[in-house]
């Protein structure tokens, strides 16, 4: 089954919001064997929506429209749908009851705009939205299914998971697709390609390989297409086993596993605890670790030491070390790691100190200079990095690099 | 001038990555008076790319293609471009020199794949990429300009800023567009719409209004189209002044200003300092604050107290309070705020304690229960919230809500 996603909303086309809905829908559909042929973002404009639907109808068995449904005046999707399916808006009692109940629970009075939300195209099957006031709408025309859902992410997700996918599963025409991604670190894309060239050339015809490089790592995605999902999983699994033997030291994770999850798994497996002391990363490492459910099992906590006084008072960094070497130095970052490890009684500690930018650099220590320390039961290592001049990217890269260093130290335990 | 963005890459259509490039390009182009008509994401497939280019050519004066350029075998964009413009790949000496120099600086040997990157369509103007190895390519066909750039975000950004926009500016045919967004908090979308209905109805014809709701706030975007940018700015500014008088208490910021920036500005203006003590938000508040350049001026630091021991040892929360009320309580979050304020010598302190989930809830304190405290020179307030059952969303909403509470306390100083 081939699907197209049409996202409706000026806010996407002026770059005000990033279209995360499409990525989520694409992932869910792929996991359910529905291939996404194209994603198209169009304006809040009746004609433009109709045009995109016409083009999509020719290629796709399923068209999912997101956005453009809400109580206010910029709502034009329903009118575009009425035109397209040659139908009219009619009052939908059950949707109105749903809206009334939602407002009653929140002690808010209904107004006319809320009543208008219960006016729906007569030709559609209404998909009840239990987490919001705008319902989903399901249409069929010739051999193509069209579904319209609100753009608010958790309402869209609710309708896809609870209404759309269950209906599509009964359909049964889906092809099986299986993706697996291998995360590698330590080899640039072209060198990695050279190292695995023979393996790549000998991949079965129904497996495609893609290189997905980013500044921190290169991910290799294998995509297998066939009829039997279990068979595809075995096939891809076998190829990954061969790959592991070719580049054992460079693989660090699979699929969308984050470094927070990977280091968390290692800490849990080994029964170890962690603490962090952050200067330039400003709490971001702590956030990456605590984004993982259950992280309280191994994460004791951390200190964001944005001033020298906090480095001294909470982490025990000595005044002399700060004076002699400056805050961005091997010596200070080492004392930060040792200090937080001791204060919080953790087995391992991570510390960072650097110049995130955009200002604050010197000739000797330019913006992007970052020192990272990992203190463990056996030893403490420190390493210096020079990233770029972009604050946001420096924070992210420093944090990811610190977790990579931690991962390597944990592997050695 | 009307533009279309075509993003190339299976990774977008299987939902592996979120297309942030399009949002960035759309924003930059809009700021430069170039309207984005549509964003289309297609597969790494020669025919599909050609099809999208054909459709785009009919509607757009400018088509920007991103992605599908890299040293490895999944690179097919260049071949699609050769087919489309009826040209062949030829060796481009200057690009090869650029690649050689990049590798020399990193002490890495060149291989055949790197040499292939210097093979470019004969019909294009080469746009030199000073931050990566794949150059941009500029084509003209009939009255449409096509530009292809790599998908790696900072390389794409470099080429847009340094090569594409300067060339388009000399063109001069662009229409002026001006967007301004007002961030509101405290009124649901439908009630806000009712309150400002008369203002909305009397907006000049060339100003469009859009409601952009999310779980934390409702943003109102005004978009004005005309010929003179300064005139549009004045026009929009005047309408916003009227809006301010209608809903003075609900407006908290403009455009993409974050709560980190807004609270940071207030702290700086009033010469105050801040400290944070985070439990359930796990460092995210600290990250939101330190993402702002210059935050070290007013942010002293924070403690992520993920275990009760850390709450006691670093923040001075009393054992008795923890035993009597539990970690997720008004009493504990108050002691956390008071503790970190005192220890770090800050004027204001924010503290959070809650159950982020997905597990750990009880009947009395379900997942999503969060206590937030703000301690200041005059008083300390605490407030309880019940968010949902999604960990990631709970962390974000708790953090944003804490900064909203802080903002209100700072306004009152």
């Amino acid at each position: 089954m081939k699907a197209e996603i049409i996202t409706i909303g000026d806010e996407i086309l002026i770059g005000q919001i990033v279209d995360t809905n499409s990525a989520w829908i694409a992932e869910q559909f792929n996991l359910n064997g529905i291939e996404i042929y194209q994603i198209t973002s169009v304006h809040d404009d009746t004609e433009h929506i109709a045009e995109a639907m016409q083009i999509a109808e020719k290629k796709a068995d399923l068209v999912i429209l997101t956005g453009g449904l809400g109580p206010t005046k910029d709502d034009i999707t329903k009118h575009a749908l009425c035109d397209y399916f040659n139908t009219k808006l009619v009052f939908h009692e059950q949707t109105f009851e749903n809206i009334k109940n939602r407002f009653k629970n929140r002690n808010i009075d209904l107004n006319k705009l809320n009543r208008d939300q219960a006016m729906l195209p007569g030709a559609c099957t209404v998909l009840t939205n239990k987490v919001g006031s705008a319902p989903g709408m399901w249409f069929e025309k010739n051999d193509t299914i069209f579904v319209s859902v609100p753009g608010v992410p958790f309402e869209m997700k609710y309708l896809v998971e609870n209404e759309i996918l269950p209906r599509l599963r009964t359909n049964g025409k889906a092809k099986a697709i299986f993706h697996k991604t291998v995360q590698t670190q330590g080899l640039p894309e072209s060198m990695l390609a050279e190292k695995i060239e023979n393996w790549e050339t000998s991949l079965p015809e129904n497996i495609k390989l893609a290189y997905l490089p980013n500044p921190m790592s290169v991910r290799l995605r294998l995509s297998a297409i066939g009829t039997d999902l279990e068979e595809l999983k075995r096939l891809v699994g076998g190829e990954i086993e061969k790959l592991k033997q070719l580049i054992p030291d460079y693989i660090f994770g699979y699929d969308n596993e984050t470094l927070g999850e990977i280091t968390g798994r290692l800490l849990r497996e080994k029964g170890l605890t962690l603490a962090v002391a952050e200067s330039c990363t400003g709490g971001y490492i702590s956030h990456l670790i605590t984004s993982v459910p259950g992280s309280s099992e191994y994460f004791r906590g951390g200190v964001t030491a944005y001033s020298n006084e906090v480095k001294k008072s909470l982490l025990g960094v000595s005044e002399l070390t700060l004076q002699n070497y400056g805050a961005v130095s091997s010596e200070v970052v080492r004392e930060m790691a040792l200090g937080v490890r001791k204060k919080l009684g953790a087995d391992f500690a991570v510390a960072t100190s650097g110049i995130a930018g955009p200002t604050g650099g010197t000739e000797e220590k330019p913006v992007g200079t970052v020192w990272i320390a990992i203190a463990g039961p056996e030893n403490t290592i420190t390493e210096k990095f020079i990233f770029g001049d972009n604050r946001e990217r420096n924070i992210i890269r420093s944090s990811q690099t610190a977790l990579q260093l931690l991962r390597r130290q944990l592997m050695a335990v």
Side-chain angles (χ1 to χ4, degrees), chain A residues 6 18 27 93 169 230 332 370:
Chain A
I6 298 177
V18 171
E27 189 181 18
E93 186 64 41
R169 275 189 207 111
E230 291 310 313
V332 166
V370 177

Side-chain angles (χ1 to χ4, degrees), chain A residues 190-239:
Chain A
S190 55
M191 305 212 24
L192 178 63
E194 210 169 42
K195 249 193 157 56
I196 63 173
E197 192 179 6
N198 289 339
W199 170 82
E200 184 178 349
T201 314
S202 69
L203 282 174
E205 256 189 25
N206 65 333
I207 297 187
K208 274 177 80 177
L209 178 73
Y211 289 76
L212 308 170
N214 64 41
M216 294 301 301
S217 62
V218 179
R219 289 173 300 144
L220 297 170
R221 189 191 62 233
L222 290 89
S223 306
I225 296 194
T227 48
D228 180 356
L229 187 64
E230 291 310 313
E231 173 58 30
L232 295 178
K233 280 185 190 171
R234 264 194 302 278
L235 195 66
V236 168
E239 294 302 332

